[in-house]
């Protein structure tokens, strides 16, 4: 059970980093609010 | 240092997965993007559904997402104003498209032509529009986004023209076509300086009410 929980956390981390990278590559995501892009993703 | 809910969740995730500290900020950004846009999308679609303009609302969302992805646009500083505006604007444009679809065909031809002209004008003179929260640093990236904006507007205009053929088989097609054209005009307006002033005014209205 604990192992499954940690695997889900790992998948969530990979998915979130992917979303952050895709979002930072675009000029704007969709909505009318833009959160602060982290320095490491600015280009 | 005070952390918001996204930063706290990101910190938990990065501690559990033993990530480098730089990745925590990226995780927090991913969480914020996912939550805010997910909620906006869900609530806007729900409102569109209850108003009976679901296909038009979905068309508006697709046009706005595709266009803003490359061209950017003016933003609000508050996620709440953004959520309320999104929930109001897209179903309203869908309703307006539905209403105008009952008029003579030259209404839709005029609106589609206007949308195409305004779209190209906005892309040529303004795109891509960045914000202080997400600046476009590299000139190459700026150039690339401008080219992609032209491509996206061309594809959207082509889709609007092709949708004309669907009006014979699908009753709601004219309304959806007009809603998409009106969204193209709305997003083009969002690239202008007037839109930046508009959102600034909305933000200040919200802040002055909070101070009272």
């Amino acid at each position: 059970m604990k192992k499954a929980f940690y695997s889900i956390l790992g998948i969530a981390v990979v998915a979130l980093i992917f979303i952050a990278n895709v979002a930072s590559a675009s000029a704007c995501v969709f909505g009318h609010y833009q959160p602060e892009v982290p320095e490491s993703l600015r280009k | 240092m005070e952390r918001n809910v996204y930063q706290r969740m990101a910190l938990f995730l990065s501690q559990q997965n033993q990530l480098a500290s730089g990745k925590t900020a990226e995780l927090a950004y991913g969480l914020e993007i996912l939550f805010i846009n997910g909620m906006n999308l869900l609530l806007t679609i729900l409102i569109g559904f209850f108003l009976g303009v679901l296909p038009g609302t979905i068309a508006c969302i697709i046009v706005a997402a595709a266009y803003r992805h490359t061209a950017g646009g003016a933003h609000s500083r508050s996620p709440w104003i953004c959520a309320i505006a999104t929930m109001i604007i897209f179903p309203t444009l869908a309703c307006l498209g539905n209403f105008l679809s009952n008029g003579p065909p030259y209404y839709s031809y005029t609106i589609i032509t206007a949308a195409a002209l305004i779209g190209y004008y906005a892309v040529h003179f303004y795109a891509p529009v960045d914000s202080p929260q997400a600046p476009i640093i590299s000139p190459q990236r700026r150039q690339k986004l401008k080219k992609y904006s032209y491509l996206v507007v061309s594809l959207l205009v082509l889709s609007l023209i092709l949708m004309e053929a669907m009006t014979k088989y699908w009753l709601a097609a004219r309304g959806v076509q007009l809603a998409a054209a009106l969204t193209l005009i709305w997003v083009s307006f969002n690239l202008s300086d007037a839109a930046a002033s508009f959102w600034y005014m909305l933000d200040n209205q919200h802040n002055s009410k909070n101070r009272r």
Side-chain angles (χ1 to χ4, degrees):
Chain A
M1 191 72 187
K2 213 173 174 183
K3 208 176 165 185
F5 174 71
Y6 283 112
S7 333
I8 291 167
L9 282 188
I11 294 166
V13 165
V14 172
L16 286 169
I17 289 179
F18 175 73
I19 290 169
N21 277 281
V22 170
S24 69
S26 66
C28 163
V29 181
F30 152 70
H32 297 96
Y33 171 70
Q34 174 65 54
E36 184 93 34
V37 176
E39 285 293 334
S40 57
L41 291 177
R42 290 188 180 188
K43 42 196 157 191
Chain B
M1 191 181 86
E2 205 176 308
R3 292 190 177 100
N4 64 29
V5 66
Y6 309 110
Q7 287 165 335
R8 271 181 272 159
M9 282 168 74
L11 193 64
F12 168 75
L13 282 172
S14 60
Q15 278 170 351
Q16 292 297 321
N17 289 279
Q18 292 155 3
L19 297 178
S21 59
K23 289 286 172 199
T24 312
E26 290 181 24
L27 278 177
Y29 179 64
L31 276 167
E32 201 168 356
I33 288 283
L34 189 69
F35 180 75
I36 291 172
N37 289 292
M39 285 303 287
N40 275 355
L41 267 178
L42 195 71
L43 292 171
T44 308
I45 286 174
L46 265 178
I47 290 174
F49 174 73
F50 286 124
L51 291 175
V53 286
L54 184 63
T57 308
I58 292 174
C60 292
I61 290 170
I62 292 170
V63 170
Y67 195 177
R68 282 177 75 90
H69 181 75
T70 52
H75 288 98
S76 166
R77 287 196 308 266
S78 153
W80 299 110
I81 291 182
C82 157
I84 293 166
T86 308
M87 279 187 277
I88 293 173
I89 291 162
F90 295 129
T92 306
L93 289 174
C95 286
L96 196 62
N98 228 9
F99 172 73
L100 290 170
S101 68
N102 297 318
Y106 73 84
Y107 271 23
S108 53
Y109 302 149
T110 314
I111 292 170
I112 291 166
T113 311
L117 292 175
I118 294 170
Y120 282 119
Y121 177 87
V123 167
H124 185 74
F125 288 103
Y126 301 109
V129 177
D130 57 353
S131 60
Q133 290 80 20
I136 300 168
I137 300 164
S138 141
Q140 285 85 8
R141 191 174 163 232
R142 193 171 277 279
Q143 234 169 12
K144 216 157 102 180
L145 284 170
K146 196 174 189 85
K147 275 184 200 161
Y148 285 144
S149 302
Y150 273 120
L151 182 71
V152 167
V153 170
S154 304
L155 287 175
L156 290 175
V157 171
L158 189 69
S159 314
L160 289 177
I161 295 166
L162 289 177
M163 273 190 84
E164 190 61 36
M166 281 174 73
T167 54
K168 288 174 195 153
Y169 310 104
W170 185 30
L171 274 178
R174 178 81 66 199
V176 172
Q177 184 193 33
L178 284 171
L182 291 169
T183 309
L184 195 62
I185 296 174
W186 164 252
V187 180
S188 300
F189 164 72
N190 265 286
L191 299 181
S192 68
D193 299 334
S197 313
F198 169 75
W199 287 104
Y200 182 76
M201 190 189 74
L202 276 186
D203 284 337
N204 283 354
Q205 201 77 13
H206 172 72
N207 290 339
S208 61
K209 269 186 191 160
N210 276 357
R211 276 198 299 270
R212 266 177 225 156

